[in-house]
Amino acid sequence: MAGQLAGKSHGRGKRRGYRAMAEINMTPFIDVMLVLLIVFMVAAPMLTVGVPVDLPKTNAAPLEQQKDPLFVTVQTDGRVFVQETPVELTNMVPLLIAVTNNNPEARILVRGDAKIAYGKMLEVMGTMSAAGFKKVGLVAEMPNGPAASSARVGAPKPAR
């Protein structure tokens, strides 16, 4: 009854037609990496911190970047923001002192809209200066186009 026919195996012996695959299929891994790359490329520009403001253009050379500067933003309508928190001008100094741990050497960058009144910018910067903050700077964008490279101070004017 329990005999075995010649040439046939019904037990747990080796099968001749099947072998273990020793290669890794890289196609799904590459697909996932490309999708992640696209997601991060799309998401990275949206991660900029700050309040939207139209910065003025300047030809000044960029300053050395200090790690984690503090941003104060003044919008066209005169609203003031410390980082992304709206604040009244009277409450700005106590908030800056709290954020900087009472460090007068903390770097504060002021971002003002190009269309803002000059007096409002002076009022904001004067308030910070009167509070003892020594490193207050302005943020501007570099202009685009050929005039940007030749409009530097001391650069020869292009011939007409």
Side-chain angles (χ1 to χ4, degrees), residues 13-28:
K14 273 189 169 180
R15 295 183 186 171
R16 292 184 181 219
Y18 300 103
R19 301 181 86 193
M21 189 168 133
E23 298 175 3
I24 297 174
N25 189 357
M26 293 296 290
T27 305

Side-chain angles (χ1 to χ4, degrees), residues 42-128:
V42 170
M46 293 184 237
L47 296 177
T48 56
V49 177
V51 179
V53 61
D54 181 24
L55 293 174
K57 309 281 189 231
T58 183
N59 291 323
L63 299 174
E64 288 185 27
Q65 294 292 326
Q66 178 187 1
K67 58 180 181 177
D68 299 330
L70 186 64
F71 286 98
V72 174
T73 306
V74 183
Q75 286 188 327
T76 307
D77 57 2
R79 291 186 297 160
V80 179
F81 292 81
V82 174
Q83 294 295 74
E84 293 182 1
T85 307
V87 64
E88 294 294 324
L89 195 58
T90 56
N91 299 331
M92 182 180 68
V93 172
L95 180 61
L96 288 174
I97 290 172
V99 170
T100 62
N101 295 324
N102 200 14
N103 180 11
E105 295 296 321
R107 183 170 194 102
I108 301 173
L109 298 178
V110 181
R111 300 172 65 228
D113 197 282
K115 298 176 183 124
I116 193 166
Y118 183 68
K120 184 65 175 178
M121 283 297 290
L122 284 180
E123 183 181 5
V124 170
M125 292 184 71
T127 303
M128 286 185 281

